[in-house]
Amino acid sequence: MQSPLPVRDGVNATRLRLPEEGPWDTAMDYMMHRWGHIDPQGIEDRFDAGEIVGEGGIPLSRHTKLEDHTFIWYYRTLPPETRLPVEINILHHDGHLLVVDKPHFLPTTPGGTYIQESALVRLRNQLELPDLIPMHRLDRMTAGVLLFSTNPQTRGKYQVLFEKRQVQKEYECVSAAEPAPGYPAVEFPVVVRNRMTKSRSYLLAEVIDGEPNAETRIERLETFDGGPAAGADGAGQRLARYRLEPHTGKTHQLRVHMASLGLGIVNDAFYPDLLDKAPDNYAKPLQLLARGIRFVDPVSGRPVEYRSSLKLSEAAPARP
């Protein structure tokens, strides 16, 4: 449903569905029930200023009946955020697409404690593109190629490509060169298939019994001696760089599939073991990178490919 309020400061207005019935006479009564313990005066002020609207952008008053609207929209009060010490590099920009290198630690879209500090909001504000919408998502801890639609008129053409899996994605990661103790040896390339699920109430994705719904092809590209950050003693661990080609797009799929082989990705705080929550360590980003993406552009009809210019910090040093 289209919001009647425009994007403000790079952020969409929040939509709230009002209940059809309940012990509330007015829309304001219901909002007081939900959030009155936080800022009752602020809610009253917003109604008085006409900043809370219903369908068609009609301003609501303190006395608007609950049943008068199904959905209402308003702007959230955004808490102050500390700017993350990472930057976005633009790889391509035209009348239909924006392609960027998203850095580690920056979320794709607003959520939780990250609103202004998301790739979407930063780019909307930086480029003055309020209609910017991501075509897919990368985890906050994953870096690399990320596509946005800049044109609402052609957005659907690109969305269809993703829905029909007509977009080929390539990732790279750095993990141990050999599986952890207790895991069998792996002959590369290997295709991992299983059934994955993830609930909103639990941080981790899980592998369960059933028909596979997640598939990744994994190829080992090179092996090398890890640097000081590679192991607990800072020496002796053999690492490898892998190419990952997902054929599905489940949450945390690549991290789960690597961990299932006993090859958990370097600096992964979730898999194979969930570590205690700690502040972001910008010196130790997750060693997972969306290296490239390719498809037939639905507007030009030509094959296109976009490649990341980033490098994984634990990858083998460049040869002279």
Side-chain angles (χ1 to χ4, degrees), residues 104 172 222 241 287 289 291 308-318:
H104 293 102
E172 286 182 13
E222 61 177 339
R241 184 168 60 93
Q287 295 298 285
L289 173 67
R291 172 59 70 193
S308 174
S309 61
L310 301 175
K311 179 178 173 59
L312 293 170
S313 59
E314 294 296 329

Side-chain angles (χ1 to χ4, degrees), residues 99-157:
V99 186
V100 304
D101 253 342
K102 186 190 82 66
H104 293 102
F105 302 104
L106 187 71
T108 298
T109 56
T113 59
Y114 302 99
I115 306 298
Q116 295 290 333
E117 285 304 287
S118 63
L120 175 62
V121 175
R122 272 200 192 183
L123 290 166
R124 279 178 171 176
N125 290 331
Q126 174 186 335
L127 302 175
E128 298 183 354
L129 292 173
D131 288 328
L132 198 67
I133 293 293
M135 291 290 89
H136 60 117
R137 285 172 172 77
L138 295 177
D139 290 343
R140 187 172 80 88
M141 292 303 187
T142 303
V145 178
L146 182 62
L147 270 64
F148 294 83
S149 163
T150 62
N151 187 343
Q153 302 304 316
T154 59
R155 181 166 299 152
K157 296 179 183 293

